[in-house]
Structures are given as C-alpha cells and as structure tokens.
Amino acid sequence: MSQTFLLGLVAVGVVALGLRLALPSLPLARFARRLSGLDALLVVLGLLGLVFHCGAMFFLSTFRQLPASDAAIHAVRGMGTASQLLYVVPAVLVLLGLRGAHWLPFGLVGLALVAVGVTMYDGGALDTHLSAIFASVVVLAVTLAFTTSPPWSPHPR
C-alpha cells in the first residue's frame, strides 16, 4: 500500500467530515438516523478492528509496536480461519452499529465490506483488493457523515 493510497484514504475521511461540519443540511433528511450510544460504540469498535486488520497486513512494523499484538498480527497475516474471523467480526460490529440506518446506506456498507472480504481471500490481484478497500472507505465515510448523527444529538438533523 503506497503512501499516496493511504493519504487518499485519509483525505476521503477528512473531506466527508469537513462537508458534514460545513453543510448545515447534513445529515440528509431522507436518510438521517441518530445512533444510540451502543450503536456508536459498535461502529467505533468495528472500525478499530478493521483498521487493525488492514494495519497488520500493510503496516506490520507500525502495528507490531502495539502491546501484546503479535499473536493477533500473526493470525491476521496467516490468512486462515482466524484471519477471516478477525475481519468478519469487526465488519459485523459495524453493521450492527448501523442496523438502524436507512436501508440504502446500510446495504451499500454491507456490500462494500463483503467486497473487501471476498477480494482479500479469493487469491486475486492486490490492486482489486485495494480498490475494494478504497470504495469501502468512501462508502463508510459518506454513510457516517451524511446519514448518521451522534448519540448526543437531540434529533437526526
């Protein structure tokens, strides 16, 4: 994974957050849902798990510095059942956290996460997997910024 690719992923998140903060019309009224505290926690834990999985694969030296991470990193990089579980469980946590979302963004997030998982374990080209990751980050960032409100918000808009 190149630095340009990584910067692109960060830029997507920053732009989505910036738009959310700059545009009073967000979240979009038709799709807006307020996350409960539990939902927000599930999304955050899921995203952290997905970041760990990606980091263990692409940023080994950085993630090895995390305390007690060697076994989990070894499991992720083994690409076996443990690696698959370490991807699926966080992906499911994200979906559980978004379960109250409008069906369209929820479905797009689900499809994006499935695409990442399939391209990771199907033995295909790395470029295809990286494209799926990029698309997934875009879908997640747009969904979170444009269709959800934090638990402390009194209403979705």
Side-chain angles (χ1 to χ4, degrees):
M1 183 180 296
S2 71
Q3 280 193 310
T4 304
F5 183 84
L6 184 60
L7 289 174
L9 291 177
V10 171
V12 165
V14 168
V15 167
L17 178 61
L19 287 172
R20 172 61 183 265
L21 296 173
L23 299 175
S25 61
L26 293 178
L28 301 171
R30 179 176 181 183
F31 301 106
R33 301 292 190 273
R34 184 174 56 90
L35 296 177
S36 70
L38 176 61
D39 292 340
L41 178 64
L42 291 172
V43 170
V44 168
L45 290 175
L47 290 176
L48 288 173
L50 294 173
V51 167
F52 178 81
H53 198 284
C54 234
M57 293 300 290
F58 295 108
F59 304 103
L60 181 60
S61 62
T62 301
F63 278 74
R64 273 207 170 127
Q65 295 175 16
L66 295 173
S69 63
D70 283 341
I73 289 171
H74 181 70
V76 167
R77 295 178 67 84
M79 297 294 285
T81 303
S83 178
Q84 292 170 4
L85 283 173
L86 288 169
Y87 176 75
V88 169
V89 169
V92 168
L93 288 176
V94 169
L95 291 173
L96 284 173
L98 293 175
R99 70 189 178 281
H102 187 277
W103 66 270
L104 182 59
F106 178 83
L108 291 173
V109 168
L111 286 173
L113 292 171
V114 167
V116 170
V118 167
T119 60
M120 185 178 348
Y121 296 105
D122 73 350
L126 178 61
D127 287 344
T128 304
H129 179 57
L130 292 176
S131 296
I133 290 173
F134 197 87
S136 180
V137 168
V138 169
V139 168
L140 278 164
V142 168
T143 295
L144 291 173
F146 290 22
T147 70
T148 63
S149 291
W152 56 85
S153 175
H155 48 74
R157 290 191 44 103

